[in-house]
Structures are given as C-alpha cells and as structure tokens.
Amino acid sequence: MSLTYAQIRAFNAVVREGSFTNAAKQLGVSQPAVTAQIKAIEDTYGVRLFERSSKTLTLSDLALALFATTEMVDDVERDAEEILAAYHDLDKGEIRVISAAPRITMELLSEFHERYPSVRIIANFGNGSQVLQAIEKRKADVAILMESPQAERFVSVPFRAHRLMAMVPEHHPLAGRRSIALKDLIGHSVIFRTGASVGQRLLDEALQAQGITIVPSLILETREAVLEGVNCGIGIGFIFEGGSSRANGVKRIPIDDLTTAMVENVFCLEIQSRRRVIEAFLQVARDLSSAGSAPPAAAAS
C-alpha cells in the first residue's frame, strides 16, 4: 500500500495546525478521520510520527523530515487552484496575513479588500518572533514586520516608514508639549516593553548613547498592554506611529532625539510569491508604499 494524497493532506494539516482537532477543522472533516489517516501511515510503515500527550503534540525527527518534502503538496494544490481561478480575476480565494503593526495593516487590508472583495482575508497579530514563525511554518502567506528577513528565499516590499513616539496620559504634565527630549523623561513614571520589541531596543540604544538611565515603573509584553497602562495614567509609554490608532486618554508626542524612521516591510516566502493572490497583495503594498519618503508629520493629539 502506498502513501495516499488524503494521508499527506491530513499529515500536513496536523503539522501546520499543531493538533488533530485543529487539522480536522482546517480540512473540514472529523477529528477521527484525521486520526485514522495518521494511524494508517504509522501502521503501514511501522513508524511513529507524533508523540501525543494530553496537552501537546510533538513531531518526531521522521515527521520533520517527511514534512520538509510533503509541505510542497499544499503549495501545488493552491497554485493549481489559483491558475484556474485567475481567469475570473480573483473572484474567490483566501489570503492569510500576520503582522506586528495593526494600524498600518488595516490600511493595507482595507485597500486589498476594496480591490478584491471576494477574497477572504484571515489576519492575525503577534510580536516579531511570532510573525516570522508563522511565515516559516506556512501558517501565514504574507507578513508585515520591521526587520524582515533578507535571505534570497524571501520577497520583501518596503511599505511604511514611521518613527517612535511617546504616549503620554492626557492629564500628564508633559501632555501639552509639541515634542519632548529623552532627558525630559527623567523623574517621570515610564512604561517599557520587553527587549523583544524593536521600539524598545531603539529606545534603549538612544538612552544609552546619551548616558541617560531610566528605571521603568512597569515592563509589559505587548503594545496593547502598554496602551492600557498609559490610558490608566501609570506612566509614559512608546509606540511607532503606525502601531495603533487608539487616541482615548493618550497624547502622542514626537521625541526630538528619535527622528529616524523605521520601515515596515510586507514579505513572503519567494516560493509563495508567484501565487496570484499573493502577487496581488504585494502589488497593493507597492501602490500604497510611502517607505521611500519621510514619515507623516506628527503633532500632539
């Protein structure tokens, strides 16, 4: 008995989704059906593909080696479908997007949806490492991120350039300023993010260059948590201009010492870039791109 296409699809889905249940949902079949396909592979070849526990699913070395070959099957299937669908000018299909910058991502998604309203968009958000992991593991088709990978196996489009801003509680003594310097932060309660944040790394480098030491009152993991902390008046936080459009209770103020604009890139695996829907998404990013120009003027708001 040889390996069947149904077994390969089930195996790939389990690897990508991380569980039998999620794989079944993705394939539109029952969980026992997926389990049966995996069991058939293991029984036929006398192998063990996954180590199962109540909470985790671990791939064996054999499963990792197998997936390196079989993952291409899903790409071929999507490519073939899109070649056929292209005659109808993207009147169907799906694109999975992941990003670390919700505000500018929504701008891009809005334009893409306006041009291709019949294409379903699935968008997720995370930190830089989560975004890269999703692209590497083919859980997302395209990503939006600063410091996108530059290896030849990626295609990248510069999209938006924006600078780091201070987020100040609206009743804070500095809230009325049109701009602030880093030294102005001394003596005020400040909220930092963890070191995984590009913005925090940029801020740390600027403070170190000026010999300024600031001990944060709070260190948080996510942008949303920092926004909530600032809104509650805990202290001053920091965000890139395109990070969020939220304004309630928060004043965004330019930082005199941080004028360098950082670029958000739209990127995907090179092998994926030939898919019609991804080509279209990258073209929308090119059309909207302002990464080659100065970031928009910012004032307290």
Side-chain angles (χ1 to χ4, degrees):
M1 179 180 177
S2 59
L3 197 63
T4 68
Y5 176 63
Q7 290 170 348
I8 293 173
R9 288 188 78 225
F11 170 73
N12 287 353
V14 171
V15 174
R16 286 199 170 111
E17 299 300 322
S19 76
F20 283 69
T21 300
N22 291 340
K25 291 178 181 178
Q26 191 266 320
L27 294 174
V29 300
S30 67
Q31 189 263 328
V34 172
T35 301
Q37 296 286 12
I38 301 302
K39 186 176 186 301
I41 298 174
E42 294 180 328
D43 290 348
T44 298
Y45 295 96
V47 297
R48 188 75 168 175
L49 296 173
F50 304 100
E51 294 298 331
R52 306 165 179 84
S53 70
S54 59
K55 294 184 179 180
T56 61
L57 187 71
T58 304
L59 277 69
S60 68
D61 291 341
L62 174 61
L64 289 170
L66 181 62
F67 183 65
T69 298
T70 61
E71 64 175 334
M72 301 299 295
V73 170
D74 294 343
D75 296 330
V76 171
E77 180 182 3
R78 281 195 298 265
D79 289 349
E81 182 178 350
E82 287 189 2
I83 288 171
L84 296 171
Y87 288 102
H88 301 285
D89 193 25
L90 284 180
D91 64 352
K92 62 180 295 187
E94 175 183 288
I95 188 165
R96 300 167 300 169
V97 182
I98 188 163
S99 171
R103 182 181 180 185
I104 64 169
T105 299
M106 289 305 170
E107 176 188 356
L108 180 52
L109 297 187
S110 176
E111 179 64 23
F112 182 83
H113 176 67
E114 184 173 339
R115 296 188 192 185
Y116 307 103
S118 297
V119 176
R120 185 171 71 151
I121 303 169
I122 301 175
N124 288 292
F125 299 91
N127 59 36
S129 62
Q130 290 168 334
V131 170
L132 285 174
Q133 187 178 63
I135 290 293
E136 292 278 9
K137 292 188 174 182
R138 309 285 184 93
K139 291 187 175 182
D141 301 312
V142 292
I144 302 164
L145 185 69
M146 290 180 188
E147 301 183 334
S148 62
Q150 300 302 309
E152 290 184 1
R153 63 195 188 92
F154 294 96
V155 171
S156 183
V157 175
F159 180 56
R160 279 285 183 267
H162 52 170
R163 58 187 284 193
L164 195 66
M165 308 281 284
M167 294 187 296
V168 181
E170 61 181 351
H171 300 300
H172 192 278
L174 298 178
R177 300 277 291 272
R178 295 190 62 83
S179 68
I180 63 174
L182 291 176
K183 61 182 177 58
D184 296 330
L185 300 173
I186 299 173
H188 293 285
S189 178
V190 172
I191 302 173
F192 281 177
R193 286 186 64 184
T194 58
S197 161
V198 174
Q200 186 60 51
R201 190 163 70 246
L202 189 67
L203 179 63
D204 289 342
E205 290 171 355
L207 290 169
Q208 184 176 11
Q210 295 194 33
I212 299 173
T213 299
I214 293 179
V215 179
S217 301
L218 195 60
I219 298 176
L220 299 172
E221 176 74 22
T222 67
R223 176 191 303 107
E224 290 70 24
V226 174
L227 279 164
E228 291 294 340
V230 175
N231 187 49
C232 290
I234 295 175
I236 299 170
F238 305 89
I239 192 171
F240 282 103
E241 288 170 292
S244 173
S245 60
R246 176 173 172 173
N248 293 345
V250 176
K251 300 289 185 180
R252 286 175 171 77
I253 304 176
I255 304 170
D256 295 333
D257 316 79
L258 289 172
T259 58
T260 301
M262 300 291 289
V263 177
E264 298 277 359
N265 297 287
V266 181
F267 67 97
C268 67
L269 289 169
E270 193 277 334
I271 197 170
Q272 295 274 64
S273 66
R274 293 183 289 275
R275 288 177 53 200
R276 175 72 179 93
V277 68
I278 295 179
E279 282 183 336
F281 194 89
L282 294 177
Q283 187 56 53
V284 172
R286 292 186 186 97
D287 293 343
L288 295 181
S289 174
S290 67
S293 60
S301 59

